Amino acid sequence: MLTVAAICAGVTAIRMGVQGDYVRAVQLLLIAGVLDGLDGRLARLLRSSSAMGAELDSLADFLNFGVAAPLVVYYWGLQDVARQAGWIAVLFFAVCCVMRLARFNVSAKSEDTKGGSGAYFEGLPSPAGALLAMLPMFVTFAIPGMSTPPAPLIGLYMAGVGLLMISPVPIWSFKKTKISRENVKYFLLGFACVAAALVLFTWAALIVMCLAYVAIVIWASLIWYPKDRSG
């Protein structure tokens, strides 16, 4: 049900993008991302995981993060200027996303067979890729009166994010992250602050979250990944 709801949110986001309601389109994609993060965990919690659910989740990821997100960016900042080049950027991002998901599905089955740790992804996950692709939109929403960045710059930026998704760069997955009992109270306090910031200062909070995610990924890749490989 959560996966189907995420699909509906992604398809509706495309409609909002076509109509020029970009704020609502981004909000729907954010909702789709939250639902994507919950459906698998809830299925495992309820012991209702299935092969069909896994395939549906993968298809939903491609629709929401590989199709809907770049289309919304296209309608927002790429269709009026350099239309053909902008569309090439959308196609490039979509192909990178579907290749990323196909590689993830194959590696996930391989890890289930070999008992892999799953502590790192190979390449940027598709939800994070869609979030970073929409970062220029967050910036313009957060700063009233700011004009849309140049279309070629947006297209090159989105293509760069697509390349990160299919790259062999190790990305910390957070799956093996554990919080000790002594630090739970600080985690909950931080979570409450982040939730309040997302409600009160949505776009500024999303910008900070995107930049913090990039910083954490770089830090983990440079510091923790070499240690894990050597151990």
Side-chain angles (χ1 to χ4, degrees), residues 110-199:
S110 177
E111 286 181 359
D112 290 340
T113 303
K114 299 178 181 179
S117 63
Y120 288 87
F121 292 127
E122 185 179 355
L124 193 68
S126 55
L131 196 68
L132 291 178
M134 293 187 293
L135 180 58
M137 300 184 72
F138 302 157
V139 175
T140 57
F141 294 163
I143 304 176
M146 180 179 177
S147 59
T148 304
L153 185 61
I154 297 174
L156 288 174
Y157 170 75
M158 191 161 65
V161 175
L163 284 176
L164 282 177
M165 288 195 291
I166 61 173
S167 70
V169 176
I171 305 294
W172 196 13
S173 69
F174 299 96
K175 289 183 178 181
K176 300 299 179 181
T177 304
K178 295 182 180 180
I179 302 173
S180 62
R181 289 181 178 271
E182 293 78 12
N183 295 324
V184 168
K185 54 182 177 291
Y186 302 112
F187 174 78
L188 294 176
L189 180 61
F191 178 81
C193 292
V194 171
L198 284 172
V199 173

Side-chain angles (χ1 to χ4, degrees), residues 25-182:
V26 172
Q27 290 172 341
L28 286 168
L29 288 173
L30 294 174
I31 292 173
V34 172
L35 294 175
D36 174 72
L38 292 176
D39 56 3
R41 289 169 176 80
L42 184 61
R44 289 188 291 272
L45 182 64
L46 298 177
R47 298 180 180 179
S48 58
S49 300
S50 65
M52 178 179 176
E55 294 298 326
L56 185 63
D57 180 68
S58 183
L59 294 172
D61 285 351
F62 176 60
L63 171 64
N64 294 331
F65 310 127
V67 177
L71 277 178
V72 170
V73 175
Y74 173 78
Y75 293 133
W76 168 72
L78 292 176
Q79 68 171 342
D80 293 333
V81 181
R83 183 173 300 179
Q84 286 75 14
W87 188 245
I88 290 174
V90 172
L91 296 178
F92 185 87
F93 187 91
V95 172
C96 289
C97 183
V98 75
M99 291 176 63
R100 169 65 179 83
L101 290 168
R103 185 177 65 185
F104 173 77
N105 292 341
V106 173
S107 62
K109 293 177 182 178
S110 177
E111 286 181 359
D112 290 340
T113 303
K114 299 178 181 179
S117 63
Y120 288 87
F121 292 127
E122 185 179 355
L124 193 68
S126 55
L131 196 68
L132 291 178
M134 293 187 293
L135 180 58
M137 300 184 72
F138 302 157
V139 175
T140 57
F141 294 163
I143 304 176
M146 180 179 177
S147 59
T148 304
L153 185 61
I154 297 174
L156 288 174
Y157 170 75
M158 191 161 65
V161 175
L163 284 176
L164 282 177
M165 288 195 291
I166 61 173
S167 70
V169 176
I171 305 294
W172 196 13
S173 69
F174 299 96
K175 289 183 178 181
K176 300 299 179 181
T177 304
K178 295 182 180 180
I179 302 173
S180 62
R181 289 181 178 271
E182 293 78 12

Side-chain angles (χ1 to χ4, degrees), residues 6-20:
I7 293 173
C8 294
V11 174
T12 307
I14 297 175
R15 176 190 175 190
M16 294 295 105
V18 173
Q19 295 176 349

